[in-house]
Amino acid sequence: LETTKGSAKRFVGWHSLSDCLNDIVGEVLAVAPPDAEIIRETACLSGIPYVHSAWGVLARHVRTVTSSERLVGEGIDEREIALDTAIRAWLESITNDDISTAVTNAMSRTLRESRANTYSDEDGRMTNRVTARDTDLLEVVRSAFLRHIVTAGNMIAPRQAHACHRMCVYEMKPDPDDDMKEKMVIESLISMSDIVQFLYEQSEGFDETLKRRNLAAIGMGALKQVFPDSDVVCTLPTTRTLDAFMMMHITGRSVLGIIDEPRGKLVDVLSISDIRECVFDVKNLTGSVEEFLSRRKPKHLVVVHEDSDFIDALAALCNSGIHHLFVVDLSGSPLRVITPTDILSRITLPSAHRVGWRFDSYEVHPDTIGKTTTSA
C-alpha cells in the first residue's frame, strides 16, 4: 500500500517471497558478479523463451546437471554441463563476507526499491467485485490462476513462466478526501491454495473415477511426466544454504528435496518460505542446509506414492497445510513434486478468456522506462 493524501492508502502491487529471494540474488550478483562467460552462455542456452502448449510453461533450457547425467551423457548438451560447472565454481567463490553484504543490502531496500526490480512481473491479479460476483469459480481458475505470468530472468537465470498464485477482489468507493474521485478498496485475497482447500471440502461430490485415479495415470507420477515442470530438483544436506536457494532461483523452483545421498532417500524439504528465517541470521545462509534445518522449526515430512489416489494427494496437501507434496518410490527416493497448480491443472484446462488484470509497468515502475520516482 502507498500513502496518498492524508491517511488514504492506495494499493500499488504485490511483494512475495520470490521477490525477497530475487532481491538477495540480485545483491549477490552485484557483490560477486559471475564471469562474462556464464552470463553469455545463460543467454545462449536460454534462447528465445516460448510457451509450451496451453499450460504456459517455458522450456527450461538452463538447468542443473545431475551426477548421473554427467556419467551417462545422454540428452544433454556439452554446453549445459560446462555452464553448470561454471556456475558451481562461481558459487564456491562467493565468500561469507559477500553473502553478509548482499543480505544487508537487500534487507535495507525499501519496498518501492525492491518492486522496481520486478519489472511488473508480480505474481498476482486484480478483479473488481462485480466481475468476481458474475464469474463462476471454474472460469476464475481457468482464466486467472492458470493463465501464466512470465518473469524477466537475469544474468544466471532464464525467463520462467508460472501460474498465478493469488488474486485480489476490490471495489471502487467514493474517496472521502475528494468527492470527484474514487478509491480502490481491497475486499478479499484469494489464493490458489484457498481454491484447492475449497475443492477438498467439496470432494464428497466428486466423481469416483476422478477421486480414485492413481497419480501415475493422470501424469503426476514418474512414468508420465507430461509437463516440463514436473521433475524434482534435489540437493544434499552438505550443500551451502545460499547455493541451495541459488539453485532454486536458477531452475525456477520454489522447493528443493533434501536427499541423504545422490539418488537417495528424501529426508527433508527446503522451500522458498524458509528464506524468511534465513535473512535474520546470515549464518543460516553461509552454513550447510543440514545446519539450517537443525535450527529451523521441525516440519513433518508428508509424502505420497505414485500409486496413491488423486483424492489422497488432495487430502495430504490440505490436511497438512503444505504447498509442495513429494511423490516417492518404494525406497523413499523422490520422483516429482505436486503443487496446487498441478491439482487445478488436472481438473481443468486454461482458458483463452481473461479474468483479472495486472498493473501496467508504467504505472507501477515508471523508472523502468526512463522515468524517475521518489521513495515513499
Side-chain angles (χ1 to χ4, degrees), residues 308-360:
S308 300
D309 294 335
F310 175 78
I311 191 65
D312 296 331
L314 185 60
L317 278 172
C318 295
N319 291 335
S320 304
I322 57 177
H323 297 89
H324 306 92
L325 177 65
F326 278 76
V327 181
V328 299
D329 61 18
L330 295 178
S331 63
S333 297
L335 300 174
R336 64 157 294 154
V337 184
I338 296 175
T339 66
T341 303
D342 294 310
I343 298 295
L344 297 184
S345 65
R346 294 322 188 270
I347 296 176
T348 179
L349 287 169
S351 171
H353 301 289
R354 298 189 173 192
V355 171
W357 52 274
R358 295 169 61 231
F359 282 97
D360 181 80

Side-chain angles (χ1 to χ4, degrees), residues 142-164:
R142 297 177 64 207
S143 306
F145 287 103
L146 292 183
R147 189 153 51 94
H148 69 274
I149 295 172
V150 181
T151 60
N154 56 28
M155 291 186 286
I156 59 172
R159 298 176 68 187
Q160 307 280 349
H162 58 81
C164 178

